[in-house]
Amino acid sequence: MCGIVGYVGSNDIKNFLLEGLKELEYRGYDSAGMAILQDDSLKICKAVGKLENLQKKCQDIKVDGFGVGIAHTRWATHGKPTELNAHPHFGEFSYVVHNGIIENYKELKESLDAKFVSQTDTEVIVHLFEKNIEELKDPLKAFKATIDALKGAYAILLITKAAPDKIFFAKEGSPLIVGRNGDEIYFASSDAPLIGYAKEVHYLEDGEWGVVQRGEVQLFSHDQKIEPEFKPLTINKELAQKGGYRFFMEKEIYEQSDVITETMMGRITENGVDFEEIDEEYLKGITSIKICACGTSYHAGLSGAYLIEKLARVPVTCEIASEFRYKDPVLHKDTLFIVISQSGETADTLEALKMAKNAGLKTLAICNVDNSSIVRLADRTILTRAGIEKGVASTKAFTTQVMVLWMFALYLAQSAKTLDESQHKKELEAIMHTPHALKVDENMHERLKRLSKRYLHGHGFFFIGRDIFFPLALEGALKLKEISYLHAEGYPAGEMKHGPIALADPELFTIALMPKNLLYDKIKSNVEELSARDSTICAISSLEFDLADDFVRIHEWDHFMLEYYEMAVVLQLLAMEIAIRLGNDVDMPRNLAKSVTVE
Ligand code: M6R
């Protein structure tokens, strides 16, 4: 979830690059950097942390007249957030910025006789380009040969002293836009940096690449030369940052399908799961797992507990961090202690982690923010790679946390050999299918918008599910509570008859999670009991359910986790549409903060 910008022209290059990065900072900001080339003279500057650190560091850089420049704001995926790992990466005479992930960077690196200084996948691009230029003697051909060798996702900008008035660019799987205003050419990974600069834009498609110089864009699609289709840039800044969505929450719900691919990238192969962050040696001697987290991350943890026990047969307990802290817990050294946190700064989770460390347990953080307090303290970290999450109501952080836990469960199952070949294959295929289950179906969204008007009153909601759909029910209820301010509770469906069913009447709304692939008959009879007592039922399932007052049909999946993921999206959208109808600020709900750094 990094951001890139580029510029060819004579109008205060440095200012455009820094302003552009500022507009992209919301995507991630563990480090940033820029490179400006004027004939043979290169100015490069990088800094760790927020963009203001880069601004301060390059204060003395003066650039007048024509030049070309590229810049990048980074959210670490491969390699720690250090200056060496910050972009632009460089070789002897060329500089590159890149968004995305180069999957085959290790093979390419081995094939090159170059001096690598960073731990990133990106650096391979610039060394490969320089090798190609030596062989082909033509920068354009060398650039094409370079991108042809890359596997994975990328938006690339490259400048080189071999062609100092040009920027080479390519797009595959990561967004990139080229903008124009007379002779000036701009690049950015989203609209926001271009507003106020470019008059017209061409949105690059996958497979498009080329080169720009003053006033000229040469564009290719694979091997074919094509004409760019410039159209006026009409969007305003706020809308641009939200990618055209009404709220950051909505944007974050929609981007889950792409983001989860980043979570999986490099960790899933045809043969199974592999994490470069952990190894079997590290997990040797572990006989049980304790997970600790707050809020949505706790719900991800509960889901993970079901998955780990199911797949790897390792006993797992999951606790709310604020409870764990003061209960004088019994901790054994053969327990792996996992903390889960989007921000990595939640005070209760951090404190629980300290207690586990002090007790001598091995600790693992599942976190979205590299270099956060929790990441710095834990022995090991698996990053969720969700990109920055702006909506206070967590969405993509949750689905990526669950994905890490699911992959981790399969990783443990592989070493414990608890699954046979066909079970292992089934899990792997389902994991690889998750981006499809998370894709927002526009018709479904429209249906939920219409449905939301029937759920604005009443005396409360029960979200019910069984097994792993119980923590999903908890998460659905939390989403609704925090942004709509309506009372909602998540409950294990089989437990309703032990008390809460007394509340049932037409003004009690039951949101029933009814997966075809997991305990369908059991949940069905629980819902029938509620229906018999006149609760209003909204059923979410792929199987028709006659007693439902409202029925939300999900796709037919052959694995319960794919149903889980599609239902997660339904619950997020339903909560958001109800909150919007009630006139609430979805991104900034009352009384809540994105990161709870106090007790
Ligand atoms: O940053 P963390 O994941 O540690 O945050 C934990 C909770 O504060 C967080 O999940 C909170 O519950 C969200 N607002 C839920 O949407």
Side-chain angles (χ1 to χ4, degrees), residues 294-297 341-343 346 392-394 401 478-479 482 596:
C294 301
T296 287
S297 299
S341 175
Q342 188 287 128
S343 61
T346 300
V392 166
S394 195
Q401 286 165 348
L478 178 63
K479 284 290 86 75
E482 61 184 335
V596 186

Side-chain angles (χ1 to χ4, degrees), residues 144 207-209 218-227:
K144 174 71 164 72
E208 290 187 359
W209 66 280
Q218 273 193 67
L219 182 66
F220 300 84
S221 173
H222 303 283
D223 294 326
Q224 199 76 33
K225 187 154 196 312
I226 56 167
E227 282 307 311

Side-chain angles (χ1 to χ4, degrees), residues 367-385:
C367 191
N368 195 32
V369 182
D370 202 358
N371 225 23
S372 56
S373 305
I374 285 177
V375 168
R376 290 199 307 272
L377 190 65
D379 303 334
R380 304 286 172 102
T381 297
I382 301 178
L383 291 176
T384 47
R385 303 179 185 159

Side-chain angles (χ1 to χ4, degrees), residues 523-542:
I523 177 91
K524 186 165 169 255
S525 72
N526 299 143
V527 182
E528 281 164 358
E529 285 157 14
L530 279 152
S531 168
R533 282 147 188 94
D534 273 347
S535 170
T536 299
I537 310 285
C538 174
I540 308 175
S541 184
S542 61

Side-chain angles (χ1 to χ4, degrees), residues 242-261:
K242 289 181 187 156
Y245 294 100
R246 295 165 293 174
F247 293 94
F248 280 109
M249 181 185 179
E250 186 174 33
K251 175 170 174 281
E252 286 158 7
I253 293 172
Y254 270 76
E255 69 193 19
Q256 289 178 109
S257 164
D258 290 336
V259 161
I260 208 96
T261 310

Side-chain angles (χ1 to χ4, degrees), residues 558-585:
D558 58 3
H559 193 292
F560 67 86
M561 280 307 288
L562 298 174
E563 299 183 286
Y564 175 102
Y565 271 116
E566 188 175 348
M567 284 187 195
V569 174
V570 169
L571 296 177
Q572 294 164 349
L573 288 172
L574 183 64
M576 186 186 74
E577 291 303 335
I578 291 175
I580 292 173
R581 275 193 194 272
L582 292 169
N584 301 344
D585 182 343

